[in-house]
Amino acid sequence: MYFFEFMDGGLLGLNWWQLILATLALTHVTIASVTIFLHRSQAHRALDLHPIASHFFRFWLWLTTGMVTREWVAVHRKHHAKCETPEDPHSPQTRGLKKVLWEGSELYMAEAANAETMARYSHGTPDDWLERNVYSRFTWQGVGIMLGIDWILFGWAGLAVWGVQMMWIPFFAAGVINGIGHFWGYRNYDSPDAATNIVPWGILIGGEELHNNHHTYPTSAKLSSKWFEFDLGWAYTRALESVGLA
Ligand SMILES: [Zn+2]
Ligand SMILES: [Zn+2]
């Protein structure tokens, strides 16, 4: 009896709006991990992270996405190298916006299974004991542990929290950035691809909204360029830098 009462609200016993805030906070940490660690640091080498920071991001991405660093990096570098051609893994210009927006993670997974892409574009990504024996070997177990953590913290509502966490990156990164970020928005620069800035305030997706700036200056750690633009990932990067973690 006691156990079932406990499971109703979990350890934290949050009400509905506290649950929404907690879910947004959790997904926000995942977005920050993707934009700072996977995208700016690993794929483009635009910044160096202290091992404490990169280990935290790797662990968090394993818990909340199950994505393997070398696969994400290789697919993304190929996207820049072959942008808007039939070889681009997820161009809405060649595949249609609907396909990339709603099936972006399927396109990603199909390209991640391409051994040639992995061999050609994944250089410099983590290849240590942890990567070989845990993260790239047990890819779904991390999100399985996360499900247990959500259940303990939030009770039955934790299942919904977990579901939102699992959909967040496939939708906002693989769908919205890769799809809309090459389709709708404004352009500061006449980059050779179709990349656009979706909105000038990069908050919800950590600055990745400024995709036209990014395709124009891919090795810049800062994605904003006009005075009215804001890149939250850059603010976090500066904060990490101020404490010696970046
Ligand atoms: Zn792009
Ligand atoms: Zn990029």
Side-chain angles (χ1 to χ4, degrees), residues 39 43-44 72 76 79-80 208 211 214-215 218:
H39 191 199
H44 294 292
W72 195 96
H76 186 71
H79 161 62
H80 277 266
E208 294 292 334
H211 208 60
H214 171 60
H215 270 267

Short mmCIF file of all heavy atoms in Angstrom, two decimals, residues 39 43-44 72 76 79-80 208 211 214-215 218, ligand 2:
data_model
loop_
_atom_site.label_atom_id
_atom_site.label_comp_id
_atom_site.label_asym_id
_atom_site.label_seq_id
_atom_site.Cartn_x
_atom_site.Cartn_y
_atom_site.Cartn_z
N HIS A 39 27.59 19.65 -31.21
CA HIS A 39 27.65 20.48 -32.40
C HIS A 39 28.88 21.39 -32.43
O HIS A 39 29.75 21.25 -33.28
CB HIS A 39 26.35 21.29 -32.52
CG HIS A 39 26.22 21.96 -33.85
ND1 HIS A 39 25.38 23.02 -34.07
CD2 HIS A 39 26.83 21.71 -35.04
CE1 HIS A 39 25.49 23.40 -35.34
NE2 HIS A 39 26.35 22.62 -35.94
N ALA A 43 31.67 18.41 -33.44
CA ALA A 43 31.55 18.40 -34.91
C ALA A 43 32.39 19.50 -35.55
O ALA A 43 33.03 19.27 -36.57
CB ALA A 43 30.08 18.54 -35.32
N HIS A 44 32.41 20.71 -34.95
CA HIS A 44 33.08 21.83 -35.62
C HIS A 44 34.37 22.28 -34.94
O HIS A 44 35.05 23.18 -35.43
CB HIS A 44 32.12 23.02 -35.75
CG HIS A 44 30.97 22.76 -36.66
ND1 HIS A 44 31.13 22.60 -38.02
CD2 HIS A 44 29.65 22.59 -36.43
CE1 HIS A 44 29.94 22.37 -38.58
NE2 HIS A 44 29.03 22.35 -37.63
N TRP A 72 26.69 11.04 -34.53
CA TRP A 72 26.09 12.37 -34.68
C TRP A 72 27.04 13.29 -35.44
O TRP A 72 26.65 14.00 -36.38
CB TRP A 72 25.77 12.95 -33.29
CG TRP A 72 24.84 14.12 -33.36
CD1 TRP A 72 23.48 14.08 -33.18
CD2 TRP A 72 25.17 15.49 -33.65
NE1 TRP A 72 22.96 15.35 -33.35
CE2 TRP A 72 23.97 16.22 -33.63
CE3 TRP A 72 26.36 16.17 -33.93
CZ2 TRP A 72 23.92 17.60 -33.86
CZ3 TRP A 72 26.31 17.54 -34.18
CH2 TRP A 72 25.11 18.23 -34.14
N HIS A 76 26.51 14.94 -39.17
CA HIS A 76 26.44 16.40 -39.26
C HIS A 76 27.53 16.99 -40.17
O HIS A 76 27.26 17.91 -40.95
CB HIS A 76 26.51 17.03 -37.87
CG HIS A 76 26.29 18.50 -37.94
ND1 HIS A 76 25.05 19.05 -38.22
CD2 HIS A 76 27.15 19.55 -37.84
CE1 HIS A 76 25.17 20.36 -38.28
NE2 HIS A 76 26.42 20.70 -38.06
N HIS A 79 26.50 16.57 -43.62
CA HIS A 79 25.46 17.56 -43.96
C HIS A 79 26.10 18.86 -44.43
O HIS A 79 25.72 19.44 -45.45
CB HIS A 79 24.57 17.78 -42.74
CG HIS A 79 23.76 19.05 -42.78
ND1 HIS A 79 22.81 19.31 -43.74
CD2 HIS A 79 23.77 20.14 -41.94
CE1 HIS A 79 22.28 20.51 -43.50
NE2 HIS A 79 22.84 21.03 -42.43
N HIS A 80 27.13 19.34 -43.71
CA HIS A 80 27.81 20.56 -44.14
C HIS A 80 28.56 20.35 -45.46
O HIS A 80 28.53 21.22 -46.33
CB HIS A 80 28.81 21.03 -43.08
CG HIS A 80 28.17 21.83 -41.98
ND1 HIS A 80 28.11 23.21 -41.98
CD2 HIS A 80 27.57 21.44 -40.83
CE1 HIS A 80 27.50 23.64 -40.89
NE2 HIS A 80 27.16 22.58 -40.16
N GLU A 208 20.66 27.30 -31.84
CA GLU A 208 20.70 26.62 -33.14
C GLU A 208 19.70 27.21 -34.14
O GLU A 208 19.80 26.97 -35.35
CB GLU A 208 20.41 25.13 -32.96
CG GLU A 208 21.47 24.39 -32.17
CD GLU A 208 22.79 24.28 -32.91
OE1 GLU A 208 22.78 24.31 -34.15
OE2 GLU A 208 23.83 24.19 -32.25
N HIS A 211 20.62 29.38 -37.87
CA HIS A 211 21.26 28.39 -38.71
C HIS A 211 21.93 28.97 -39.96
O HIS A 211 22.89 28.42 -40.48
CB HIS A 211 20.22 27.33 -39.09
CG HIS A 211 20.81 25.98 -39.35
ND1 HIS A 211 21.54 25.28 -38.42
CD2 HIS A 211 20.80 25.19 -40.46
CE1 HIS A 211 21.94 24.13 -38.94
NE2 HIS A 211 21.51 24.06 -40.18
N HIS A 214 25.21 30.14 -38.78
CA HIS A 214 26.07 28.97 -38.54
C HIS A 214 26.64 28.41 -39.84
O HIS A 214 27.82 28.09 -39.92
CB HIS A 214 25.30 27.89 -37.78
CG HIS A 214 26.06 26.61 -37.71
ND1 HIS A 214 27.31 26.54 -37.12
CD2 HIS A 214 25.80 25.38 -38.21
CE1 HIS A 214 27.77 25.30 -37.24
NE2 HIS A 214 26.88 24.58 -37.91
N HIS A 215 25.81 28.29 -40.88
CA HIS A 215 26.34 27.73 -42.14
C HIS A 215 27.32 28.69 -42.81
O HIS A 215 28.17 28.26 -43.58
CB HIS A 215 25.20 27.36 -43.09
CG HIS A 215 24.74 25.95 -42.90
ND1 HIS A 215 25.24 24.89 -43.62
CD2 HIS A 215 23.84 25.41 -42.03
CE1 HIS A 215 24.65 23.76 -43.23
NE2 HIS A 215 23.80 24.05 -42.25
N PRO A 218 30.80 28.24 -39.97
CA PRO A 218 30.60 26.99 -39.23
C PRO A 218 31.59 26.76 -38.08
O PRO A 218 31.27 26.02 -37.16
CB PRO A 218 30.73 25.90 -40.30
CG PRO A 218 31.38 26.55 -41.46
CD PRO A 218 31.07 28.01 -41.39
ZN ZN B 2 27.01 22.56 -37.98
#
